[in-house]
Amino acid sequence: MPTLRELASTIRSKNAGVDHITFDIIFRERANFERVRNAKVLTRESVAALYRMDPERITDFVVFEPANAIKFTIRRDRPSGGPGEHDVFGSQQYAPLMGIEIP
Amino acid sequence: MADSFRIICPTGHLGFTPLEKASFLAGCAEKPDAVIADSGSCDIGPYPLGADGQASPPAWQYHDVEIMLLEARRLGVPMIIGSASDTGTDRGVNQFVEIVREVAKKHKLAPFKLAALYSEQSIDSLRAYLAKGGRIEGLDGRPDATLATLDATSRAVAVMDAEPIRKALLAGAEVVIVGRCSDCAIFAAPLLNRGFGPAISYYAGKLMECASFCCEPYMGKESIMGSITADAVEVTAMHPGQRCTPASLASHAMYERRNPFHEHVASGLVDMTNCRYEQVGPKTTRATGPAFVPAGKTKVKLEGAGKVGERRLAIVGVRDPETIGRIDRAIAWAKDRLNERFGPIGGEYQVYYHLYGRDGVMGPLEPTPPAQPHELGIVVETVCKDGKRAEEICALAARNLFYARLPDVKGTAGAAALMGDEILVGKAGYEWTLNHVMAVDDPESLVRTRFETIDGTN
């Protein structure tokens, strides 16, 4: 089975305001986008399980057709950039998504 | 031909790294109607706002303002800069006004009218607002602000929408230096003045605010041109190697935001649910279809940051596989010693061990922390109101990894490698205390506008 890394052209994470991190998975080929969208392996539940977090922390989960994209947003466990911060831009939190297998 | 208004945007964060001049000049050769760029971001963390500092080097801010101002004055069109000097505090606005004065003098620019828009809010004014029964409503699941929230806040700014910028332009300002504002507001202001509706005006700003990030391939700090008509925004890449495509523009519309459909401003929200993107030229994409939903009551966003304490850092490495396998135990032992000596962690001070090589990047979100990495790089971070004490705590927190007592340890001359026996002085620790909105009858009561004529020939 191919992984998300092989099918998506962009997989990224970034702050969305100071209390959230948003994840974008974007496909160059429409067929790959539809394959992932239809496979239903990338869902609110699967993402919560992957990151071992309460599904309630996922505040938004949308399929964004105009950009061939799937997007979700999580609430940070504390605001960005305070003491103890390890990713102030939220820019390296996407890595575990790359290995998701797509039937 | 439909009435159109053209805006050139050379950078998505003025001064953060220097803008690229060639694509900007190429765009200005096409005689745009306005030169606009945003200079602010919350991504840099709470320190610059809280400490009223800046994240961008002054030399690069000067570089960008100089290039933009010279072209705007040559063309005789407005230049608008938003969220001056990273944070949009009064200091940031004054700093950018001073840069404009210096550039005008250096190049002997003919007189022009400048507007400076301030939106910093004193903590006392916010306290007074609460005392009068006002509500400072938490965003993103935060509780409403109380006096304690304000006590913990060092500095706060209100986020303007387009209205005060519109008024400054209508009053004849040719250069507008704006304090903290929505990125899209600086683009929307001249479009609203031209008679376009709020939907297309704010949407144009949303699409254009990050300059070449909405084009492909990926390049920062290159210029883009937006050509706005009553119902469409056409964005063109100005760099010869870049194109604006439906995919690049649509994917930018969802960048750095919780969802791709809604953009909130004080006066309402832009609904992008039905937007369409089509390629209309080799380097140009047209976007159509936004709607604007007016807010029942104007709610102005507040951003605030407060100081937590002084910060110290130490770097420690571990290579012994037996220590690595039991690193949590070693850290627990070190923390016990801190508790004994300095009182409970989380009371008067905070301590964090960042374990690079295991889960230093992702922390608790790391799905697969290796049990046995080859080596560990540990950054020890301490925060305490008193700097000397933060240093003492950091030294003990780091050295106690060196002295960690683990059963049957073979390396009895030190359980960790110290990169150097020094404690690094970090920037002070700040936190975001306000991510809130306040309902106001007159949002412009939060904004102060000052006009000035700048004459570089004098």
Side-chain angles (χ1 to χ4, degrees):
Chain A
M1 272 191 285
T3 59
L4 204 53
R5 180 185 191 169
E6 294 161 71
L7 298 179
S9 51
T10 298
I11 305 176
R12 68 188 179 194
S13 61
K14 187 78 191 285
N15 289 343
V18 302
D19 290 324
H20 289 86
I21 298 174
T22 193
F23 297 72
D24 299 336
I25 302 119
I26 308 173
F27 302 85
R28 189 166 290 119
E29 281 85 34
R30 182 78 189 173
N32 286 343
F33 165 66
E34 289 175 352
R35 176 174 177 174
V36 173
R37 182 193 62 191
N38 297 341
K40 307 270 186 217
V41 291
L42 192 61
T43 63
R44 197 180 277 266
E45 293 70 28
S46 70
V47 166
L50 177 65
Y51 285 95
R52 299 183 300 177
M53 66 178 138
D54 185 338
E56 287 189 357
R57 269 182 69 186
I58 303 175
T59 58
D60 303 79
F61 197 105
V62 296
V63 175
F64 187 45
E65 299 275 345
N68 291 345
I70 296 171
K71 178 180 183 70
F72 63 90
T73 302
I74 67 170
R75 201 171 59 244
R76 282 174 165 271
D77 56 3
R78 62 183 125 183
S80 64
E85 178 61 73
H86 40 78
D87 187 0
V88 66
F89 286 71
S91 54
Q92 276 291 301
Q93 303 303 307
Y94 61 86
L97 298 171
M98 298 174 97
I100 294 176
E101 294 188 324
I102 310 295
Chain B
M1 195 176 127
D3 182 32
S4 75
F5 189 92
R6 295 192 307 156
I7 297 171
I8 187 156
C9 175
T11 170
H13 184 169
L14 185 151
F16 196 60
T17 60
L19 69 81
E20 298 291 341
K21 195 172 176 182
S23 64
F24 178 66
L25 295 183
C28 287
E30 296 181 17
K31 299 195 169 90
D33 299 298
V35 175
I36 300 179
D38 182 67
S39 176
S41 175
C42 285
D43 283 343
I44 49 182
Y47 176 84
L49 175 59
D52 206 10
Q54 57 190 80
S56 302
W60 297 350
Q61 294 172 323
Y62 185 97
H63 169 270
D64 285 7
V65 172
E66 181 177 38
I67 290 171
M68 288 173 64
L69 182 64
L70 290 182
E71 284 302 289
R73 295 321 304 141
R74 185 182 66 76
L75 293 164
V77 301
M79 178 183 88
I80 308 171
I81 295 175
S83 299
S85 198
D86 304 311
T87 58
T89 59
D90 292 357
R91 174 209 59 79
V93 175
N94 289 333
Q95 185 210 350
F96 274 29
V97 170
E98 184 55 32
I99 294 176
V100 170
R101 287 192 198 112
E102 286 172 19
V103 171
K105 194 171 175 187
K106 177 179 165 189
H107 296 277
K108 299 188 168 47
L109 296 180
F112 57 90
K113 188 170 179 180
L114 172 145
L117 274 56
Y118 300 88
S119 69
E120 187 172 328
Q121 306 300 310
S122 76
I123 308 304
D124 277 341
S125 71
L126 298 176
R127 285 193 187 101
Y129 175 83
L130 277 191
K132 280 188 303 184
R135 180 180 176 205
I136 300 179
E137 184 184 343
L139 288 174
D140 297 331
R142 286 182 178 231
D144 290 357
T146 62
L147 280 175
T149 317
L150 298 179
D151 289 345
T153 302
S154 307
R155 203 163 288 275
V157 288
V159 181
M160 292 179 246
D161 71 2
E163 285 305 314
I165 308 166
R166 282 182 72 173
K167 292 215 170 111
L169 291 168
L170 289 172
E174 296 162 284
V175 170
V176 187
I177 302 297
V178 188
R180 188 62 174 141
C181 61
S182 300
D183 295 358
C184 55
I186 49 177
F187 296 86
L191 296 170
L192 292 164
N193 281 350
R194 187 64 173 264
F196 294 123
I200 206 74
S201 299
Y202 281 109
Y203 183 51
K206 176 59 220 155
L207 293 177
M208 292 189 65
E209 58 168 345
C210 282
S212 51
F213 270 6
C214 72
C215 302
E216 61 183 59
Y218 179 77
M219 293 183 193
K221 306 295 171 182
E222 298 291 351
S223 286
I224 59 167
M225 183 82 83
S227 179
I228 296 94
T229 53
D231 55 7
V233 182
E234 291 187 5
V235 179
T236 304
M238 286 294 121
H239 185 277
Q242 265 200 319
R243 307 182 311 137
C244 184
T245 68
S248 70
L249 195 58
S251 63
H252 179 69
M254 66 183 197
Y255 184 59
E256 290 183 320
R257 44 199 305 100
R258 275 178 58 180
N259 84 55
F261 302 125
H262 298 144
E263 169 78 12
H264 290 269
V265 294
S267 50
L269 72 86
V270 183
D271 186 340
M272 298 181 277
T273 309
N274 296 313
C275 287
R276 293 286 171 267
Y277 302 84
E278 63 178 310
Q279 193 88 44
V280 293
K283 298 162 74 68
T284 305
T285 285
R286 174 189 291 147
T288 53
F292 189 78
V293 184
K297 174 99 178 166
T298 298
K299 289 184 175 179
V300 177
K301 187 177 174 194
L302 289 175
E303 294 169 354
K307 187 172 180 178
V308 182
E310 300 299 327
R311 229 162 113 256
R312 297 294 183 271
L313 303 161
I315 302 174
V316 178
V318 185
R319 177 65 179 80
D320 177 341
E322 294 186 6
T323 308
I324 288 172
R326 294 182 287 177
I327 191 67
D328 288 328
R329 202 163 156 182
I331 290 171
W333 183 83
K335 284 183 170 175
D336 282 346
R337 302 287 80 73
L338 297 177
N339 279 320
E340 282 168 17
R341 187 164 191 85
F342 301 107
I345 295 171
E348 302 283 308
Y349 66 99
Q350 302 178 36
V351 59
Y352 301 94
Y353 290 87
H354 301 273
L355 270 59
Y356 289 96
R358 190 180 79 172
D359 56 5
V361 174
M362 298 192 60
L365 291 183
E366 173 60 60
T368 51
Q372 195 62 50
H374 179 71
E375 68 175 29
L376 278 175
I378 302 176
V379 176
V380 183
E381 174 186 9
T382 58
V383 179
C384 182
K385 285 226 172 348
D386 179 77
K388 283 244 180 292
R389 198 160 173 85
E391 179 157 336
E392 195 185 331
I393 296 166
C394 192
L396 195 61
R399 287 177 195 163
N400 270 347
L401 291 181
F402 185 88
Y403 292 117
R405 294 181 192 176
L406 295 169
D408 305 321
V409 72
K410 293 188 175 57
T412 54
L418 303 181
M419 185 180 140
D421 191 25
E422 66 190 311
I423 305 302
L424 306 173
V425 179
K427 283 182 186 168
Y430 279 80
E431 63 185 356
W432 290 112
T433 52
L434 290 174
N435 176 24
H436 289 69
V437 289
M438 58 195 285
V440 284
D441 295 322
D442 175 16
E444 287 172 63
S445 64
L446 302 176
V447 180
R448 300 162 311 278
T449 301
R450 183 177 65 74
F451 293 98
E452 168 179 345
T453 297
I454 292 183
D455 183 355
T457 62
N458 210 335

